Amino acid sequence: MPKNNTMTKNPIGVMDSGVGGISVLRHIHALMPHEHLIYFADSAHAPYGNKSQEEIKQRCFAVADFLIAQDVKAIVVACNTATAAAIAEMRAKYDLPIIGMEPAVKPAAAASKNGIIGVLATVGTLKSAQFAALLESYGRNVEVVTQGCIGLVECIERGELDTEHTKQLLAQYCAPLLAEGADTIVLGCTHYPFVSALIAQIVGKSVTIIDTGAAVAKQLQHKLNAQSSVNSSIEPATILFFTNSQHTQSNKVIETLWGQPAAIQRLS
Ligand code: DGL
């Protein structure tokens, strides 16, 4: 049982297999600038996308235990792969709001004009039972073309947002979606918004790209409102990053993705 989990000034924990969830953190901070935030990048164990469900669950429990020890009042699992593998068990195990995320198939199906949508995600997300259930619920009236993006998370973890290799991978992964005529593409992994400009260049202006970060931030706000734990203080928020990455450039990558200097603690 977490201590003080309804205290309004307690931070919100945001976790991901690595730096990708910073794309969600940015939306949370933009929507609720007075909330204190703790971000945990489990980069030493990224990517989650090719790990077993059991391994991902164990990592999620370890990271959640760490965040709860920091007295967080809610946890955002800013990772589609971790949500698919572990959210049910996390909610059963921990007594605080846990917000997860899944590829935006529903909004994409609503936005598509020709009824063909593409989903870029990790292999772990695409083969999960949660994703199958999502398609069953919202993908019935559209054609859904899925593409697992092996190696892309690693590029973004290294901060390679605009290299030839990253461009080449993206071109390779977008090609089948374009060949099928997708007019709407879902970014089904929180790392991918950091290369959405490159994706837009490849797929062209006529294709709509959908990211889930803003919706997750709204869902979090809704949960905090419901349990009366919104921080109503007008003091500036503290944003603290923890990473277990052992790469020397990891702090620079975090600051690049966050968009400003960041308070970062490296864990061994
Ligand atoms: N950001 C994670 C997601 O949304 C990446 C998963 C991975 O580490 O493979 O799925």
Side-chain angles (χ1 to χ4, degrees):
M1 180 79 177
K3 293 168 278 171
N4 304 328
N5 69 339
T6 53
M7 289 187 67
T8 60
K9 287 192 176 177
N10 287 26
I12 295 160
V14 181
M15 58 187 274
D16 180 40
S17 65
V19 294
I22 295 172
S23 64
V24 180
L25 191 77
R26 289 174 65 137
H27 284 287
I28 294 170
H29 184 57
L31 186 66
M32 294 175 280
H34 301 297
E35 293 292 347
H36 303 299
L37 304 172
I38 296 181
Y39 183 86
F40 193 104
D42 194 20
S43 293
H45 301 94
Y48 283 180
N50 50 15
K51 288 191 164 47
S52 72
Q53 196 172 350
E54 200 43 50
E55 282 174 295
I56 299 171
K57 273 185 213 166
Q58 292 314 319
R59 286 313 309 155
C60 288
F61 293 157
V63 175
D65 286 343
F66 177 89
L67 290 171
I68 287 167
Q70 317 299 313
D71 279 345
V72 295
K73 62 185 175 185
I75 292 178
V76 178
V77 182
C79 177
N80 296 264
T81 314
T83 298
I87 198 95
E89 282 84 349
M90 290 178 79
R91 286 184 176 139
K93 185 172 157 102
Y94 300 111
D95 185 19
L96 79 175
I98 299 182
I99 292 89
M101 57 195 300
E102 58 190 10
V105 170
K106 186 183 177 188
S112 175
K113 293 195 173 69
N114 68 1
I116 307 171
I117 70 169
V119 180
L120 299 173
T122 68
V123 171
T125 296
L126 295 177
K127 68 174 190 208
S128 68
Q130 271 224 347
F131 187 69
L134 189 65
L135 290 187
E136 187 62 29
S137 302
Y138 303 113
R140 279 175 165 237
N141 300 320
V142 286
E143 183 188 333
V144 183
V145 191
T146 62
Q147 177 65 52
C149 302
I150 294 166
L152 189 53
V153 162
E154 289 92 322
C155 291
I156 295 157
E157 285 291 312
R158 291 190 296 265
E160 294 169 11
L161 306 183
D162 199 22
T163 64
E164 278 313 309
H165 176 57
T166 305
K167 283 181 195 168
Q168 198 191 324
L169 275 184
L170 287 172
Q172 179 190 331
Y173 293 142
C174 290
L177 278 48
L178 294 175
E180 288 296 322
D183 72 349
T184 308
I185 292 181
V186 175
L187 303 183
C189 167
T190 54
H191 283 71
Y192 304 167
F194 292 116
V195 289
S196 62
L198 281 186
I199 296 173
Q201 270 173 32
I202 292 164
V203 301
K205 285 202 177 94
S206 59
V207 176
T208 304
I209 297 171
I210 298 190
D211 164 28
T212 333
V216 172
K218 275 195 194 136
Q219 173 68 4
L220 169 65
Q221 188 180 45
H222 177 75
K223 278 267 159 69
L224 295 180
N225 272 323
Q227 64 163 30
S228 305
S229 63
V230 171
N231 186 359
S232 51
S233 153
I234 52 159
E235 290 161 23
T238 303
I239 323 285
L240 190 54
F241 292 80
F242 288 93
T243 178
N244 52 18
S245 172
Q246 297 310 309
H247 293 294
T248 45
Q249 84 278 20
S250 66
N251 285 16
K252 192 165 168 272
V253 174
I254 288 173
E255 292 193 329
T256 301
L257 302 184
W258 179 236
Q260 53 183 297
I264 305 168
Q265 287 189 29
R266 194 188 293 251
L267 305 167
S268 55

